[in-house]
Amino acid sequence: MNPLNHVAIIMDGNGRWGLKYKNSRNAGHKAGLNTVEKIIKETIKQKIKYLTLYAFSTENWKRPKKEVNYLFNLLENFLINRIDELHKKNIKLRIIGIKKFSSKLNTLLNLSEKKTAKNTKLQINLALNYGSKFELINAFKHLSKNKQKINEKNFTKYLQTKNIPDPDLLIRTGNTKRLSNFLLWQLAYSEIFFEKKLWPEFNENDYSKIIKNYRSIKRNFGNI
Ligand code: IPE
Ligand code: IPE
Ligand code: MG
């Protein structure tokens, strides 16, 4: 059985779900938050140590302002209402991405990270304004500025995922098979599952099934 230390998820399909059932993309984002809660619970149940959630890409700024604002409002309210509960559950929150938001959200994110920094049950990495290409270029820039030897060990020190093991498993919901600028370096040897269901209809049973399937895969890492 494969050990499972880190699951990364591209939570895709909120907009389509919202349009289909509520005639509003934003309603889909709201519904998607319920799935986030279910998946966090199941991740703890499965004793997985790291969960990385792709919540907003560096390219998602192209979307209409109304949708972008709605998403960040949703996140603000989630943090305001739920961070104490996450903290009580011994969950650590870390943001990966470029932290350039409203001063209110920046403060909230910093406070949430600080408050939960010492927690040990589960680390949730929220990929927010995250783009893998930016992350990689930034790491190369640091290496060259500090005149350090170019090798894997030095390079990964400058990634936003510093000190986080690479994902064992990547799940993308929403019936689309692409990476959309997510963890291009870190996913080099991850097992990838593309799920047809849209994020708001994905649930803990679907998640456990994927995990069960993952556990039985023969991972080679180049070996035989
Ligand atoms: C993913 O759902 C969530 C974010 C990108 C914030 P989408 O909003 O991309 O949903 P679809 O793919 O348009 O259905
Ligand atoms: C990827 O979904 C980003 C997140 C889930 C946050 P997108 O919906 O933005 O991806 P594309 O644009 O369809 O590739
Ligand atoms: Mg999408």
Side-chain angles (χ1 to χ4, degrees):
M1 263 217 327
N2 290 319
L4 182 51
N5 201 28
H6 184 177
V7 178
I9 307 184
I10 302 175
M11 312 183 286
D12 197 25
N14 288 348
R16 278 166 283 162
W17 186 91
L19 278 181
K20 189 170 167 197
Y21 296 104
K22 312 262 175 189
N23 204 23
S24 133
R25 289 184 52 87
N26 285 346
H29 293 308
K30 193 170 170 208
L33 209 49
N34 297 328
T35 307
V36 171
E37 307 242 8
K38 287 181 201 163
I39 295 310
I40 293 175
K41 267 197 196 138
E42 186 62 28
T43 305
I44 294 174
K45 211 171 133 195
Q46 300 261 1
K47 301 193 169 60
I48 296 160
K49 285 289 173 196
Y50 297 87
L51 175 67
T52 301
L53 299 173
Y54 203 6
F56 195 86
S57 74
T58 45
E59 288 74 37
N60 286 146
W61 294 107
K62 293 175 191 163
R63 296 187 179 200
K65 225 179 169 162
K66 199 176 133 223
E67 180 166 337
V68 172
N69 288 342
Y70 186 86
L71 276 164
F72 286 116
N73 260 321
L74 209 58
L75 176 66
E76 272 180 23
N77 289 330
F78 179 81
L79 289 175
I80 292 168
N81 296 319
R82 309 305 286 273
I83 196 65
D84 286 340
E85 199 185 317
L86 293 183
H87 183 47
K88 271 196 206 120
K89 286 187 177 155
N90 199 11
I91 295 173
K92 172 175 173 174
L93 185 73
R94 177 159 153 192
I95 307 303
I96 61 169
I98 313 155
K99 265 200 222 147
K100 265 193 199 162
F101 307 105
S102 68
S103 59
K104 186 181 172 196
L105 183 56
N106 280 336
T107 310
L108 256 174
L109 291 170
N110 289 335
L111 282 175
S112 306
E113 281 188 300
K114 213 167 152 193
K115 186 178 186 127
T116 61
K118 295 209 169 80
N119 291 343
T120 54
K121 185 150 218 124
L122 165 69
Q123 175 167 332
I124 298 178
N125 308 305
L126 196 62
L128 208 56
N129 195 16
Y130 173 85
S132 193
K133 287 191 176 178
F134 175 89
E135 179 190 38
L136 294 172
I137 286 174
N138 191 51
F140 283 124
K141 277 187 187 161
H142 274 98
L143 270 187
S144 79
K145 196 174 90 192
N146 301 337
K147 299 198 169 49
Q148 278 177 292
K149 204 172 160 210
I150 297 180
N151 58 30
E152 254 187 64
K153 194 166 165 253
N154 285 338
F155 183 70
T156 50
K157 277 196 290 207
Y158 295 112
L159 295 176
Q160 282 152 3
T161 51
K162 184 182 169 207
N163 295 331
I164 301 171
D166 287 343
D168 299 295
L169 168 61
L170 170 75
I171 302 170
R172 181 178 186 137
T173 60
N175 201 20
T176 306
K177 292 178 181 151
R178 55 178 174 251
L179 294 179
S180 304
N181 203 11
F182 190 47
L183 302 175
L184 300 178
W185 170 278
Q186 296 87 340
L187 294 173
Y189 264 109
S190 311
E191 302 301 329
I192 303 182
F193 284 75
F194 292 107
E195 160 69 43
K196 286 209 170 93
K197 280 193 181 178
L198 304 169
W199 180 248
E201 57 200 15
F202 187 67
N203 62 39
E204 54 274 63
N205 293 334
D206 305 313
Y207 186 40
S208 323
K209 269 187 213 154
I210 291 175
I211 292 173
K212 199 170 164 220
N213 199 340
Y214 158 84
R215 298 248 190 224
S216 68
I217 290 172
K218 182 168 176 285
R219 301 185 77 190
N220 289 343
F221 300 100
N223 209 330
I224 50 168

